[in-house]
Amino acid sequence: MAKAFTPHGRHLIAGDWVGTEAVFRSEPAHGAAHDFSVGTVEIVDQACRAAEVAFWSYGATSRAERAVFLTAIADEIEARGEAITSIGSSETGLPEARLDGERGRTTGQLRLFARHILSGDYLDRRRDPALPDRRPLPRPDIRLVQRPVGPVAVFGASNFPLAFSTAGGDTAAALAAGCPVVVKGHSAHPGTGEIVAEAIRAAILRTGVHPGAFSLIQGGRRDVGTALVTHPLIRAVGFTGSLAGGRALFDLCCSRPDPIPFFGELGSVNPMFLLPAALGARGAEIARGWAASLTMGAGQFCTNPGIAVLIEGPDADAFADAATAALEPVGAQVMLTDGIAAAYRQGRDRIAGTEGVQAVLTSMCDLRTATPYLFATTGAAWLANHALGEEVFGPLGLIVRVKDAAEMEAVARSLQGQLTCTLHLDAADAELGRRLMPILERKAGRVLANGFPTGVEVCDAMVHGGPYPASTNFGHTSVGTLSIRRFLRPVCYQNMPENLLPDDLR
């Protein structure tokens, strides 16, 4: 029996639970609704000022101290595991097994980052020793190390209440770098955000970290998000969400008197290219795998593979039949919010109403549920209408039948930036695969072979990002240990006395 958790509905500001006059009520998929204080511009200012004060001590902590803090957060989250799963499932409708797995990913990520920073490799330390006898001019002693940028704003994601929210990847990366964090919680799961913030607060008390190193602001309208990204003490922003919302915040960051980096992960259609030999040999198997990936979690993953590109003919027809057969039995699934469900239906209608698109599988969904849809179009229609490449967040697939390998390459070249691109190929497809690879690696942050992109491994080599609009900064990732580098900047020290250098350079 899961332990009960009843939210008190307040913001966490520098160690204190703070209420505000206005409240909003959560909209759980099942179970009791709760009232939560609405964030305000004044609350944002308090949190940002506390983060700046905390930075002077937290930014100077040792790597060992920060590793202990990250591990303590993981411990405190695990100590609340049953209660987190219970309220998370109530708020989002996600099954308990999914939330248990996501919690493990969240705590595993915190521990991975703790181990990673202990090694010090991420600091990219460099030294050019002095050459006093060099002619015609001597060279000074020059050293370089990565230093934390300062307070970071993080926006929680709707589709990952743990791994991309309060203590998720952006928060963990910023804290690992030595940056205090102000989180704008997502209103789809405020109770989950609160209990995770409670875990972070407990870790702060255990380790003696300055309480201003973490704050959580709940709710609030556009003015709260605007106040956060434009606050003069915020030095970088992490965001996972929609293209429209992310682009608006990105523009605000760029229009500040002192522009700051905005690390936004904005979604993708994650196309798959099925090459002829693989399609002929195992098209039905790939179709079944695609259907499972497409409908996993009601398709509410930024790496959901929404597009399948293949050469027309009997094998393409057999693939469509197999995909249809695999999708037909899939029942209605609860989506994260009413708004996401409504947006899914709008996306379905947009695709269905596009010239050159035929319905392959239709179904009925309403209210907060989603059912799978499958459509088909031609390579020519795809190339004539770039709107077909816009993300539909949910279990909707589009098959693009191209005339030949040349048109498949043209479709690949027409893609906008993607988080992932996938090749399904056998040995006989190697030549076409080699022709596609230079295109796909320019289009995506991760290129897969013979798999499905919905699993994003948290590890050293992972890249979760890509050219715009997949993300706003193609040089970085929001998953994996490289994500810590987003919240660091290089500082060079010339002829600096040893006792004035940062500890990591001594």
Side-chain angles (χ1 to χ4, degrees):
M1 187 73 176
K3 297 178 182 178
F5 172 72
T6 302
H8 51 63
R10 296 191 292 275
H11 315 285
L12 178 62
I13 307 299
D16 295 325
W17 294 107
V18 178
T20 47
E21 184 175 346
V23 299
F24 70 97
R25 174 150 285 207
S26 64
E27 299 178 352
H30 56 81
H34 301 281
D35 290 336
F36 293 86
S37 294
V38 174
T40 65
V41 172
E42 292 73 24
I43 286 288
V44 168
D45 184 60
Q46 291 175 31
C48 293
R49 290 181 182 277
E52 175 68 11
V53 171
F55 180 62
W56 296 111
S57 60
Y58 187 70
T61 53
S62 69
R63 289 178 279 121
E65 289 171 320
R66 293 198 300 281
V68 168
F69 179 43
L70 293 172
T71 302
I73 295 173
D75 291 342
E76 294 292 345
I77 289 173
E78 288 176 346
R80 295 160 176 78
E82 290 185 14
I84 288 172
T85 294
S86 178
I87 192 163
S89 178
S90 170
E91 290 186 321
T92 65
L94 294 172
E96 291 189 358
R98 151 72 192 273
L99 285 163
D100 287 344
E102 190 180 331
R103 188 179 70 251
R105 170 178 169 163
T106 303
T107 56
Q109 184 168 245
L110 287 159
R111 291 194 168 98
L112 172 64
F113 286 6
R115 294 191 299 270
H116 182 74
I117 62 174
L118 284 175
S119 74
D121 293 343
Y122 75 104
L123 294 170
D124 194 18
R125 289 172 286 198
R126 305 179 185 206
R127 184 182 183 187
D128 294 293
L131 298 175
D133 298 326
R134 190 182 69 173
R135 297 291 180 267
L137 294 173
R139 185 177 76 186
D141 181 89
I142 300 174
R143 311 186 199 198
L144 176 149
V145 71
Q146 302 289 332
R147 299 295 291 156
V149 299
V152 171
V154 170
F155 287 75
S158 64
N159 59 332
F160 279 88
L162 299 174
F164 280 91
S165 289
T166 310
D170 290 343
T171 298
L175 292 175
C179 299
V181 175
V182 179
V183 172
K184 169 67 171 64
H186 200 287
S187 58
H189 41 74
T192 310
E194 181 183 306
I195 192 172
V196 173
E198 181 184 273
I200 299 174
R201 180 176 182 270
I204 286 172
L205 294 172
R206 272 177 55 185
T207 59
V209 165
H210 192 293
F214 177 83
S215 291
L216 169 69
I217 301 169
Q218 299 275 33
R221 299 187 182 278
R222 184 173 297 180
D223 62 330
V224 174
T226 298
L228 186 54
V229 302
T230 59
H231 197 285
L233 296 177
I234 292 295
R235 307 317 306 158
V237 178
F239 174 89
T240 298
S242 69
L243 175 59
R247 182 59 203 235
L249 295 174
F250 177 50
D251 290 346
L252 284 172
C253 287
C254 293
S255 64
R256 288 170 45 133
D258 56 336
I260 59 174
F262 178 83
F263 300 106
E265 189 268 282
L266 309 181
S268 173
V269 296
N270 306 294
M272 306 187 311
F273 292 82
L274 285 70
L275 306 196
L279 181 63
R282 48 193 175 89
E285 176 189 343
I286 297 170
R288 289 190 292 271
W290 184 40
S293 184
L294 198 64
T295 57
M296 182 189 301
Q300 297 170 113
F301 292 96
C302 49
T303 52
N304 193 30
I307 308 295
V309 184
L310 61 173
I311 296 173
E312 63 187 10
D315 290 339
D317 297 338
F319 173 85
D321 291 342
T324 302
L327 290 170
E328 278 180 330
V330 178
Q333 299 180 72
V334 177
M335 299 199 85
L336 293 159
T337 68
D338 291 336
I340 290 173
Y344 174 60
R345 292 191 291 271
Q346 291 168 4
R348 170 203 64 190
D349 294 343
R350 173 176 58 80
I351 297 293
T354 301
E355 184 176 355
V357 172
Q358 299 83 39
V360 178
L361 172 67
T362 60
S363 52
M364 293 293 293
C365 61
D366 58 11
L367 302 177
R368 195 166 165 169
T369 64
T371 51
Y373 287 82
L374 184 61
F375 297 94
T377 191
T378 64
W382 169 279
L383 293 169
N385 191 339
H386 291 293
L388 290 175
E390 296 176 5
E391 182 183 29
V392 178
F393 195 62
L396 183 147
L398 176 65
I399 296 172
V400 181
R401 290 187 175 94
V402 298
K403 292 183 298 185
D404 50 28
E407 191 168 70
M408 180 175 280
E409 288 184 66
V411 167
R413 291 180 188 277
S414 74
L415 292 169
Q416 292 185 300
Q418 304 292 326
L419 294 171
T420 74
C421 288
T422 300
L423 286 172
H424 289 278
L425 73 169
D426 285 352
D429 295 312
E431 181 181 349
L432 178 54
R434 282 192 292 269
R435 285 158 52 188
L436 286 167
M437 277 298 292
I439 305 171
L440 301 186
E441 67 183 15
R442 288 192 67 185
K443 298 294 182 177
R446 178 164 57 117
V447 184
L448 298 80
N450 297 327
F452 299 94
T454 37
V456 182
E457 186 71 25
V458 181
C459 60
D460 289 326
M462 177 53 63
V463 172
H464 189 62
Y468 185 85
S471 64
T472 56
N473 194 310
F474 60 78
H476 292 272
T477 174
S478 62
V479 176
T481 54
L482 185 62
S483 68
I484 298 170
R485 287 290 297 270
R486 294 175 297 169
F487 306 117
L488 297 165
R489 65 181 184 88
V491 178
C492 173
Y493 302 85
Q494 183 168 321
N495 284 340
M496 191 62 60
E498 188 81 12
N499 61 359
L500 295 184
L501 288 169
D503 289 343
D504 287 321
L505 271 181
R506 295 182 187 177

